[in-house]
């Protein structure tokens, strides 16, 4: 009887602890997705790479002010709207700016609300508003036509990019190291929790790709230690034609497309093929 009572007490304590974890995860799940406090300081500018740029402020429809960099390319063949991942800020993505500049593409890179020097607090709906504001800035302030505009996103930024691409008609869409959805990824990482029932954050890239009517370029590493390679392959399978897949190597924070000349060359060929 004593052993039975002890076992019951242990099971009760475990159950209470598990429920407490569920409540905490449900209430604070945004902190598991967004990391604006990691690398909050802007550490460098495009000028560090010899790139001319303009620091701009973009106002969203709900009153937030986004910090962004406009990096024009000489004799530009197009313009890239770039959305970064869930940590750091625009100053940590200078290599992307240099790569696109060398490919003769101007770039607008923007910090989401709550990131870097942008105001506000990040949320899924908020990042979508940020994306629309950045698109409108390029269309109005820089007079860029949709036929010349490429939407690109890495990791979390892929979710922002794919959503925006369902609302507008860009020249092409570039997705790097992107997941099929937050729920899918969360269910793999937190396999012991009912993530699909609890998730209030979507970023449904898989569903978005089925509704995008533009050429799609997807790059993903077999060695990705955060977003499994299978996510990239599923996204590629869901995308309509024309589409192209680039297999990278290296971890999630190492397998960058700009680290190998042959990878950049494949991207360049894709952009040239689907240029205006």
């Amino acid at each position: 009887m004593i052993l039975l009572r002890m076992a019951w007490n242990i099971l009760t304590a475990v159950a209470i602890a598990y429920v407490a974890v569920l409540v905490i995860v449900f209430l604070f799940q945004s902190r598991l997705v967004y990391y604006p406090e990691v690398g909050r300081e802007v550490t460098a500018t495009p000028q560090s790479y010899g790139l001319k740029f303009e620091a701009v402020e973009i106002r969203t429809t709900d009153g937030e002010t986004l910090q962004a960099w406009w990096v024009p390319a000489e004799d530009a063949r197009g313009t890239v709207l770039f959305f970064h991942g869930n940590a750091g800020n625009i100053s940590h993505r200078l290599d992307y700016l240099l790569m696109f500049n060398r490919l003769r593409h101007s770039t607008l890179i923007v910090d989401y609300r709550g990131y870097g020097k942008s105001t506000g607090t990040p949320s899924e709906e908020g990042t979508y508003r940020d994306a629309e504001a950045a698109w409108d800035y390029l269309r109005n302030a820089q007079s860029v036509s949709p036929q010349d505009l490429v939407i690109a996103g890495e990791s979390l930024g892929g979710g922002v990019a794919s959503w925006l691409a369902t609302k507008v008609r860009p020249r092409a869409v570039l997705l790097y190291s992107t997941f099929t959805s937050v729920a899918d990824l969360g269910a793999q990482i937190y396999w012991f929790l009912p993530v699909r029932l609890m998730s209030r954050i979507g970023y449904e890239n898989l569903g978005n790709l089925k509704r995008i009517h533009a050429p799609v370029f997807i790059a993903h590493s077999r060695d990705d230690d955060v977003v499994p390679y299978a996510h990239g392959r599923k996204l590629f399978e869901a995308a309509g034609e024309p589409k192209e897949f680039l297999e990278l190597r290296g971890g999630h924070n190492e397998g960058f497309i700009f680290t190998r000349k042959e990878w950049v060359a494949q991207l360049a060929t894709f952009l040239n093929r689907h240029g205006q």
Side-chain angles (χ1 to χ4, degrees):
M1 180 65 71
I2 294 177
L3 290 177
L4 183 61
R5 185 177 301 170
M6 289 179 60
W8 175 255
N9 290 339
I10 292 173
L11 289 175
T12 300
V14 170
I16 292 174
Y18 186 75
V19 171
V21 170
L22 293 179
V23 172
I24 291 172
V25 170
F26 181 78
L27 293 177
F28 299 101
Q29 60 187 267
S30 64
R31 296 188 181 182
L32 299 175
V33 176
Y34 307 105
Y35 297 95
E37 70 282 354
V38 176
R40 188 64 178 263
E41 183 180 352
V42 175
T43 58
T45 72
Q47 190 174 4
S48 303
Y49 281 6
L51 299 174
K52 295 180 180 179
F53 79 104
E54 178 185 357
V56 300
E57 291 187 346
I58 300 173
R59 293 283 288 180
T60 66
T61 55
D62 59 340
E64 301 297 349
T65 300
L66 310 179
Q67 301 297 316
W69 288 334
W70 167 243
V71 184
E74 189 173 348
D75 298 322
R77 294 177 177 174
T79 297
V80 175
L81 172 55
F82 188 84
F83 299 108
H84 63 70
N86 68 338
N89 58 64
I90 56 178
S91 70
H92 303 124
R93 274 76 183 187
L94 297 180
D95 288 294
Y96 280 109
L97 301 180
L98 181 61
M99 178 185 71
F100 287 126
N101 190 268
R102 288 175 173 173
L103 294 178
R104 290 174 57 187
H105 278 67
S106 301
T107 306
L108 177 71
I109 184 170
V110 58
D111 265 332
Y112 313 114
R113 60 189 62 202
Y115 280 77
K117 296 182 179 180
S118 296
T119 65
T121 302
S123 67
E124 182 177 9
E125 180 60 32
T127 58
Y128 294 158
R129 289 176 182 262
D130 299 342
E132 289 181 318
W135 174 272
D136 290 342
Y137 169 83
L138 286 173
R139 295 283 291 112
N140 300 321
Q142 298 296 341
S143 300
V144 180
S145 67
Q147 294 77 21
D148 294 326
L149 226 167
V150 176
I151 301 176
E154 62 164 8
S155 194
L156 176 75
V160 181
S162 72
W163 178 87
L164 180 61
T166 67
K167 305 298 179 182
V168 298
R169 193 68 179 264
R171 171 181 144 199
V173 179
L174 316 177
L175 303 179
Y176 311 127
S177 308
T178 301
F179 45 80
T180 53
S181 73
V182 166
D184 288 344
L185 182 60
Q188 289 180 283
I189 297 174
Y190 305 103
W191 52 268
F192 52 91
L193 297 176
V195 172
R196 298 186 190 283
L197 295 176
M198 299 169 60
S199 180
R200 292 180 287 115
I201 301 175
Y203 292 113
E204 300 286 346
N205 292 306
L206 196 63
N208 289 341
L209 277 169
K210 297 175 182 178
R211 298 185 289 126
I212 292 175
H213 302 289
V216 175
F217 183 94
I218 294 176
H220 212 109
S221 173
R222 280 191 177 275
D223 311 314
D224 198 313
D225 51 342
V226 176
V227 182
Y229 179 73
H231 284 248
R233 291 304 307 180
K234 288 180 180 179
L235 292 177
F236 179 71
E237 292 166 5
E241 297 287 352
K243 59 184 177 180
E244 191 167 332
F245 188 87
L246 170 61
E247 182 178 315
L248 308 174
R249 298 312 299 260
H252 188 73
N253 296 313
E254 300 168 350
F256 299 116
I257 192 171
F258 50 73
T259 57
R260 293 192 185 180
K261 292 182 179 180
E262 61 269 28
W263 295 347
V264 177
Q266 186 171 334
L267 173 60
T269 299
F270 174 84
L271 291 173
N272 291 336
R273 183 185 304 124
H274 300 292
Q276 298 299 316

